[in-house]
Structure formats: structure tokens, C-alpha cells
Amino acid sequence: MPSFPRIGLMARVQYPEVVDSLRYLISDLGADHSLMVEARAAAFLKEESLDDEGIDYPVCECQEFADCIDLAILVGGDGSMLSAAREMVDFDVPLLGINRGRLGFLNDIYPDEIGPRVREVLAGNYIESSRFLLETAVTRNGTEIGAGIALNDVVLHPGQSVRMMEFELYIDGHFVNSQRSDGLIVATPTGSTAYALSGGGPILNPDLDAIVLVPMNPHTLSSRPIVVPGNSEIEIRVSDLNELHPFVTCDGQNHVETEPGDVISIRKKAKQLRLIHPSDHNFYEICRSKLGWGSRVGAIHRNNKNP
């Protein structure tokens, strides 16, 4: 019996190349697997008039779709994977990514290798990893006014303003510091290679149970990124002295506007995301290729040089 007999196809952006890959997957896998297409991906196919060519598949909305599949294949970029992860994490359905974006930190399979790579996974040759998400809530005078979840990061930022904000940071109930800066990035290991990296934060191996906090353009040089245990309870209190109304975003979505005195609580989400990778998946090789790290050529040359 195949490792994943029931396969669902997903997409979050309607680009021609995304639709091409969806169509290829339907054609390549339809004969041997039970296929289902999530409603948004099906709409993209229909609008491109590709379903007029005899392709037959069941279509479902996200929740019903998740209950009927063993594996979801997401076609798109990392942003599409972030969206799908937030939607699917509670259903315990593993996700496999086909990269139709730019970097592809989360989507491992390139378009020119879809056939053999996907068949290898479906034959049982794959690596599964667990990634935790962050959940956040914003409270005002003890009442929750907004909430969200994030696979990459929760960010406190000033919106369109160019003025600094002031806030206090607490971890596990302990006061850490008060800070004047452009904001704060709170990232998972998965998100450590995204916005947090651009802000000067460290790269965390995705297997780590840790959270990184990265100040954004702090007013003092002593404000540095800090890595804390993954089960930490993080609290950000927006200073009463602020004239700004900072925003809180989760993976760049779910914008919540705060006011002075609001409290932002961030913690690890109990349910974790299941990601599927090809059997030769290697985090450090991905960093080398995506971030332009040096190769081993120089080291090999030095090691082989005659004394």
C-alpha cells in the first residue's frame, strides 16, 4: 500500500507556472492515486480553462479536504506554504512543497524534477520534520482584541510611520528590558532564515526547540538578538508613552493595530506542522544554495595540497 494513498493538491496564487504544475500532478498521479483538489486550486485550474481537457477530480473546501487526504501537495512559493501551514496545522495532514517561488526554503521540489521526486516520496522514501508555530494574542484592558498564528514570525512594527516605538519585554514573567526601536521580530527556527535573518538574527537549525527575538533598529547598541527556550511565554507591553499605534503581524498577515498599554502575548502553539521532504533533504545544503555560503572547493584544495 502506498505511503500516502489519498493526495490533495493545493495552491494559493494563480500564476501560469503554478497552474502548469497542478495540471502535471493531476496527469501524472491520477492513475495510481486517489486525488482531490482544494477549492482555490480548482478555481485556478478552471479559470485557465484546463479542466476542459478531460481532467476529472473531486473538489473540496479546506476543512472537508483535510479530512479526506493523507498528504497535501502545495504548489507555490514559501509565502503560499506559510498560508497553507496556518490553515492545515490543526488537521495533522503532512505538507509537501513544490517550489514555484524564489527562495524555496520550505518547498523542496523544483518544477523540472516533480515527477521522480514526488514518486519517490509516495513510494515511502522521504524525511518528515515537525515545525512549531507561534500563537499570539493582543489584549486591551484585559479583553482580547486580536489573535493569530505564525510559522515564521510574529512582528511588532510601526506600520507606515518612521518613528521609533517604546515597549517592555517580559519572558516567563521576568522583566527583560525596555526598548526604543522600530519594533521586535519574534521568530521560530523556521522563520530564523526569513525576516529575522534580515534583521541581524542568528540562523537556527529547524530541529531546535527555541525562539529568537530580534530588535529592529534599536536605539542602543546593547540591544541584541536573544534566543530563548521554545516553551517560553513572551509578553510585550506597549508603553503608555507611545504616540504611535504599532501593528502586530503574523507571517506578514493578520494585522492588529495596538494602542499604548496593550499587551502582546506570544507562545508556542501546541499542535505542530508536519513537513515532508525528499530523502536527501539537507538543511545546511539549502543554506549554502539559498544564502550563497561558500562551497567546499577551497577546503578540499587546501587539504590536498602537497606539504
Side-chain angles (χ1 to χ4, degrees):
M1 183 176 180
S3 298
F4 304 107
R6 303 175 303 168
I7 301 170
L9 302 181
M10 304 180 70
R12 290 294 175 268
V13 289
Q14 187 181 356
Y15 296 148
E17 56 268 27
V18 169
V19 174
D20 287 345
S21 292
L22 287 171
R23 186 186 183 194
Y24 177 86
L25 286 165
I26 291 171
S27 175
D28 192 53
L29 303 177
D32 301 318
H33 295 81
S34 172
L35 285 184
M36 182 173 291
V37 181
E38 198 264 337
R40 271 167 286 188
F44 299 156
L45 286 163
K46 184 175 182 179
E47 289 181 26
E48 293 290 335
S49 300
L50 297 177
D51 58 337
D52 294 334
E53 300 183 15
I55 298 174
D56 186 24
Y57 45 82
V59 175
C60 288
E61 296 294 337
C62 187
Q63 183 166 351
E64 181 184 354
F65 166 83
D67 289 337
C68 300
I69 60 174
D70 304 298
L71 172 71
I73 299 179
L74 182 282
V75 181
D78 285 342
S80 295
M81 179 60 84
L82 293 175
S83 176
R86 294 192 301 270
E87 295 171 2
M88 299 290 287
V89 62
D90 287 329
F91 299 112
D92 198 35
V93 175
L95 286 172
L96 173 68
I98 307 296
N99 184 30
R100 278 299 194 171
R102 292 186 293 273
L103 279 176
F105 265 100
L106 297 173
N107 299 349
D108 298 313
I109 297 177
Y110 289 97
D112 59 355
E113 58 183 15
I114 291 178
R117 288 297 220 173
V118 172
R119 284 193 292 272
E120 178 186 4
V121 168
L122 299 181
N125 299 318
Y126 62 87
I127 296 171
E128 179 173 335
S129 67
S130 295
R131 305 291 181 92
F132 72 82
L133 285 75
L134 297 174
E135 54 186 10
T136 185
V138 180
T139 58
R140 181 174 300 156
N141 300 320
T143 300
E144 183 177 301
I145 64 165
I149 61 174
L151 177 59
N152 265 359
D153 47 47
V154 176
V155 180
L156 177 69
H157 64 93
Q160 296 182 349
S161 174
V162 295
R163 300 174 65 183
M164 285 189 170
M165 69 181 74
E166 186 170 335
F167 56 88
E168 294 180 347
L169 174 65
Y170 292 79
I171 297 175
D172 294 329
H174 301 291
F175 174 68
V176 178
N177 62 9
S178 58
Q179 187 177 129
R180 283 182 55 80
S181 68
D182 288 344
L184 185 69
I185 304 167
V186 182
T188 66
T190 301
S192 70
T193 53
Y195 195 17
L197 180 63
S198 300
I203 293 175
L204 304 184
N205 185 294
D207 293 331
L208 288 174
D209 184 15
I211 299 171
V212 61
L213 294 84
V214 182
M216 299 167 60
N217 301 318
H219 192 250
T220 60
L221 295 177
S222 60
S223 294
R224 290 287 185 259
I226 180 173
V227 178
V228 300
N231 60 357
S232 298
E233 301 278 342
I234 298 165
E235 187 175 279
I236 305 168
R237 301 180 186 178
V238 181
S239 173
D240 290 327
L241 301 176
N242 266 329
E243 297 179 6
L244 292 177
H245 294 264
F247 288 84
V248 175
T249 63
C250 298
D251 289 341
Q253 307 295 321
N254 301 332
H255 304 279
V256 178
E257 185 176 2
T258 69
E259 293 183 357
D262 286 355
V263 177
I264 302 133
S265 302
I266 304 169
R267 68 188 67 185
K268 181 200 296 185
K269 182 176 172 61
K271 196 76 172 180
Q272 296 202 358
L273 177 70
R274 298 169 61 194
L275 279 184
I276 299 297
H277 312 279
S279 58
D280 60 353
H281 174 79
N282 184 313
F283 172 69
Y284 303 109
E285 192 281 327
I286 292 172
C287 288
R288 284 196 303 274
S289 62
K290 306 300 183 183
L291 302 178
W293 286 3
S295 69
R296 298 177 60 198
V297 174
I300 293 173
H301 176 75
R302 287 191 299 272
N303 290 339
N304 291 338
K305 187 180 293 185
N306 292 328

